[in-house]
């Protein structure tokens, strides 16, 4: 496993020689160290990115040529799927089978944006229809510049792909800063990008702490665009940093997504999607449908089955072949955070239907937990926990469900389940969220936009919207006639 910074096409130690321990969340043991970048390293990485961008070695070549490299990256990711999935599991604790599934999406992301890079060539210099025949206007698309990309620890490689693939497709140069908790797969991605023939300086990867590395990157005057996925609090700081020189910003932040279950659903299907919506990725997912709203008429059937099935989840070794299973939370700090919320739920009067404890032994494990008798003013209902904790309320009417669902500062995702499609369509229209699922929860496709409303962020990733994040639109207007303009200088008769 790699341990150095990747700057300007070379593997280098940090300027100050600092290192960060990497902890296996399943064993609580340090198994690796990586370089800890600080401000001088950020300067070097941004300079490399700026020089490469300004030289045109990547930004000025055709989308078709960039697509060749992107497809090669996708190919190499597929070839190294097993190795990368093992690193991802060891680094962040998610079950191996989930990490392997993520790798398919990572490779698919680079392949998808290779196609869009080629299509970008065809869109260049397309004319607009104007009311004045003396003028001609065409539209050009150019890369936004140097991108500072900061990614979280729950989907280390996938979140890198969501930013790096469209940025490279657009012609940008990138400085990627992964979470200090999960730095390893990003360094492997850097090696793959290098092997794929992307020129030196176009992609750089610097590992380090948020205060020492992330903050200098967000404040750097050499960065044109900031793309951040993480907490609302950190997102605010990123926005504040961007105001100094009016940086272009994309933010994908937190969520507290509702899942509305009406009384005409199949109980087995409902329980399956409820569990997938909250316990996938060990519950550490920004779009988690962790607020469950069940119509009163079916609650007595859904809740016992939900408790029964949740108790069947094996909590332990993320490399287990037991299915279903959950691995550990990413860190000791995250475990303490989740346990604190669970205790707070108990203290405020909610009832634990199942779970609520930490299994004995080593590892940052917590049982998947379901709370009932939850009130809308309770902390576990209102705040993002980022763990496998589900809070349940019941409702009588559709109007009540929508009101409870929208009563949040977040607006990332939401879900509704009913056999009545007309009702589902009404609920979808009423929910204030950027992503809404019908009769399911959490499916994500690279072709579809991803992002939220309200405090859940600004902008959209993935799909064609993801590419637009990294493009500037330029209108080019020319005067197409030899006739004098004659505004200030009048023609002689």
């Amino acid at each position: 496993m790699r341990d150095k910074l990747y700057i300007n096409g070379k593997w280098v130690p940090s300027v100050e020689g600092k290192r960060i321990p990497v902890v296996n969340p399943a064993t609580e043991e340090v198994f690796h160290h990586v370089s800890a970048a600080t401000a001088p390293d950020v300067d070097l990485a941004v300079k490399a990115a700026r020089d490469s961008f300004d030289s045109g070695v990547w930004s000025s070549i055709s989308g078709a040529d960039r697509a060749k490299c992107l497809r090669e990256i996708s190919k190499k990711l597929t070839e190294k799927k097993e190795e990368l999935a093992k690193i991802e599991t060891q680094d962040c604790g998610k079950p191996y089978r989930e990490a392997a599934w993520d790798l398919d999406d990572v490779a698919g992301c680079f392949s998808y944006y290779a196609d869009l890079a080629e299509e970008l060539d065809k869109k260049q210099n397309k004319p607009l229809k104007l009311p004045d025949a003396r003028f001609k206007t065409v539209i050009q698309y150019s890369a936004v510049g140097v991108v500072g990309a900061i990614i979280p620890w729950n989907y280390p490689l996938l979140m890198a792909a969501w930013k790096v693939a469209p940025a490279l497709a657009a012609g940008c140069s990138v400085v990627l800063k992964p979470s200090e908790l999960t730095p390893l797969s990003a360094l492997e991605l850097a090696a793959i990008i290098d092997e794929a023939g992307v020129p030196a300086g176009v992609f750089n990867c610097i590992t380090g702490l948020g205060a020492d590395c992330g903050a200098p990157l967000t404040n750097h005057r050499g960065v044109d665009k900031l793309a951040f996925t993480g907490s609302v609090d950190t997102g605010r700081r990123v926005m504040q940093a961007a105001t100094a020189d009016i940086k272009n910003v994309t933010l994908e932040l937190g969520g507290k997504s509702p899942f509305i279950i009406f009384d005409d659903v199949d109980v087995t299907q409902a329980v399956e999607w409820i569990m997938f919506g909250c316990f996938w990725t060990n519950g550490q997912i920004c779009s988690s449908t962790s607020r469950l709203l069940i119509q009163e008429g079916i609650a007595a059937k859904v809740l016992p089955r939900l408790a029964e099935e949740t108790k069947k989840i094996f909590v332990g070794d993320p490399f287990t072949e037991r299915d279903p299973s959950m691995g550990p939370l990413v860190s000791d700090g995250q475990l303490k955070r989740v346990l604190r919320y669970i205790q707070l739920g108990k203290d405020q009067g909610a009832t634990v239907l199942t779970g609520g404890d930490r299994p004995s032994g080593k590892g940052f494990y917590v049982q998947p937990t379901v709370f009932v008798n939850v009130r809308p003013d309770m902390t576990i209902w209102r705040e993002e926990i980022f763990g496998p904790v589900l809070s349940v309320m019941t409702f009588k009417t559709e109007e009540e469900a929508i009101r409870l669902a929208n009563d949040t500062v977040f607006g990332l995702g939401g879900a509704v389940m009913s056999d009545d499609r007309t009702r589902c369509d009404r609920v979808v229209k009423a929910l204030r969220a950027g992503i809404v699922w019908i009769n399911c929860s959490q499916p994500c496709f690279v072709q579809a936009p991803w992002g939220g409303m309200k405090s859940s962020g600004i902008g959209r990733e993935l799909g064609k919207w993801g590419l637009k994040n990294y493009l500037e639109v330029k209108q080019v207007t020319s005067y197409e006639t030899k006739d004098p303009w004659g505004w200030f200088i009048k023609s002689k008769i």
Side-chain angles (χ1 to χ4, degrees):
M1 289 180 284
R2 302 176 193 278
D3 63 350
K4 292 183 172 62
L5 312 177
Y6 181 72
I7 298 176
N8 204 23
K10 298 178 181 178
W11 295 98
V12 296
S14 61
V15 171
E16 297 180 2
K18 295 181 178 180
R19 309 272 285 172
I20 300 173
V22 183
V23 177
N24 183 335
T27 64
E28 304 183 34
E29 296 175 355
V30 174
F31 70 98
H32 196 58
H33 288 80
V34 296
S35 294
T38 56
D41 304 293
V42 174
D43 286 340
L44 291 173
V46 173
K47 183 180 186 303
R50 172 56 58 193
D51 289 348
S52 71
F53 182 80
D54 291 345
S55 74
V57 66
W58 185 256
S59 57
S60 294
I61 66 175
S62 69
D65 285 338
R66 292 196 292 269
K68 293 176 184 176
C69 286
L70 291 172
R71 291 196 178 98
E72 185 64 20
I73 294 169
S74 178
K75 177 184 174 184
K76 291 180 180 296
L77 284 164
T78 300
E79 291 171 351
K80 298 182 178 182
K81 173 181 174 178
E82 183 176 344
E83 172 191 347
L84 292 170
K86 288 180 179 178
I87 290 173
E88 200 86 318
T89 294
Q90 192 175 14
D91 208 10
C92 76
K94 68 170 56 187
Y96 174 78
R97 70 179 186 280
E98 292 185 19
W101 194 5
D102 288 352
L103 259 295
D104 292 336
D105 289 342
V106 173
C109 188
F110 279 94
S111 177
Y112 174 78
Y113 281 107
D115 292 343
L116 291 196
E118 286 183 333
E119 293 176 14
L120 190 58
D121 289 341
K122 301 172 185 177
K123 294 180 179 179
Q124 298 286 10
N125 294 306
K126 281 198 171 182
L128 299 179
K129 186 177 181 179
L130 301 177
D132 190 331
R134 294 173 295 174
F135 296 92
K136 178 183 178 181
T137 296
V138 298
I139 300 299
Q140 295 179 357
Y141 299 91
S142 58
V144 73
V146 173
V147 175
I150 302 175
I151 58 173
W153 43 257
N154 57 336
Y155 286 89
L157 202 48
L158 187 59
M159 293 297 99
W162 282 20
K163 291 171 173 53
V164 174
L168 292 181
C172 296
S173 292
V174 180
V175 178
L176 175 68
K177 192 270 181 197
S179 168
E180 60 269 25
L181 297 177
T182 54
L184 300 182
S185 57
L187 295 174
E188 297 302 319
L189 176 62
I192 287 172
I193 289 174
D194 184 274
E195 293 169 8
V198 175
V202 172
F203 178 78
N204 307 271
C205 184
I206 51 176
T207 54
L209 301 177
D212 297 337
C213 179
L217 181 60
T218 58
N219 284 287
H220 206 290
R221 291 300 181 103
V223 173
D224 301 298
K225 160 93 182 178
L226 292 171
F228 172 78
T229 297
S231 71
V232 174
D233 287 343
T234 305
R236 287 194 185 100
R237 292 196 289 274
V238 170
M239 280 194 73
Q240 289 168 353
T243 62
D245 51 353
I246 319 298
K247 284 182 174 63
N248 185 314
V249 177
T250 301
L251 303 174
E252 201 269 271
L253 307 177
K256 193 70 176 178
S257 302
F259 197 163
I260 301 172
I261 305 289
F262 286 97
D263 60 10
D264 59 349
V265 301
D266 177 84
V267 170
T268 300
Q269 287 275 33
V271 169
E272 168 67 34
W273 284 112
I274 290 167
M275 294 172 66
F276 191 83
C278 190
F279 301 145
W280 171 252
T281 314
N282 305 335
Q284 300 168 129
I285 179 170
C286 55
S287 58
S288 170
T289 41
S290 59
R291 290 190 299 139
L292 179 61
L293 289 157
I294 308 179
Q295 198 160 26
E296 289 180 350
I298 202 170
K301 295 179 180 179
V302 171
L303 292 176
R305 182 69 183 281
L306 176 60
E308 176 189 349
E309 297 298 334
T310 300
K311 289 174 183 176
K312 294 178 183 177
I313 299 174
F314 170 73
V315 180
D317 180 9
F319 287 99
T320 184
E321 294 184 1
R322 294 176 64 172
D323 186 17
S325 68
M326 274 178 39
L329 302 182
V330 72
S331 67
D332 181 57
Q334 187 63 16
L335 173 63
K336 289 176 179 175
R337 170 189 169 92
V338 172
L339 291 175
R340 186 169 62 249
Y341 273 108
I342 290 173
Q343 187 59 51
L344 195 56
K346 296 174 182 177
D347 293 344
Q348 292 181 347
T351 303
V352 175
L353 181 66
T354 185
D357 292 309
R358 178 184 182 181
S360 60
K362 283 282 189 179
F364 305 130
Y365 296 100
V366 65
Q367 293 173 341
T369 300
V370 179
F371 277 105
V372 294
N373 298 323
V374 176
R375 300 188 312 271
D377 61 334
M378 287 183 175
T379 304
I380 57 171
W381 183 260
R382 305 204 69 82
E383 295 185 11
E384 182 178 40
I385 298 173
F386 223 69
V389 180
L390 180 67
S391 299
V392 184
M393 289 186 63
T394 59
F395 67 91
K396 292 181 179 179
T397 67
E398 179 181 321
E399 292 74 20
E400 181 187 9
I402 292 169
R403 177 179 57 77
L404 288 167
N406 284 333
D407 183 21
T408 175
V409 298
F410 297 107
L412 182 55
V416 56
M417 181 171 276
S418 173
D419 276 349
D420 184 341
R421 185 53 188 261
T422 300
R423 175 161 58 187
C424 287
D425 291 341
R426 286 197 306 267
V427 173
V428 166
K429 187 174 181 179
L431 288 179
R432 292 280 295 157
I435 307 151
V436 182
W437 298 286
I438 298 176
N439 293 332
C440 59
S441 179
Q442 303 308 313
C444 177
F445 301 96
V446 68
Q447 297 82 3
W450 185 276
M453 302 177 183
K454 299 189 277 187
S455 292
S456 288
I458 297 173
R460 296 293 182 272
E461 295 189 297
L462 299 184
K464 62 182 180 182
W465 301 268
L467 183 63
K468 288 179 180 178
N469 284 333
Y470 301 97
L471 292 173
E472 296 283 12
V473 180
K474 181 184 294 184
Q475 70 134 301
V476 181
T477 298
S478 57
Y479 191 51
E480 295 290 307
T481 178
K482 296 295 184 180
D483 295 341
W485 184 235
W487 189 269
F488 288 103
I489 301 174
K490 308 301 180 183
S491 300
K492 293 182 179 180
I493 299 176

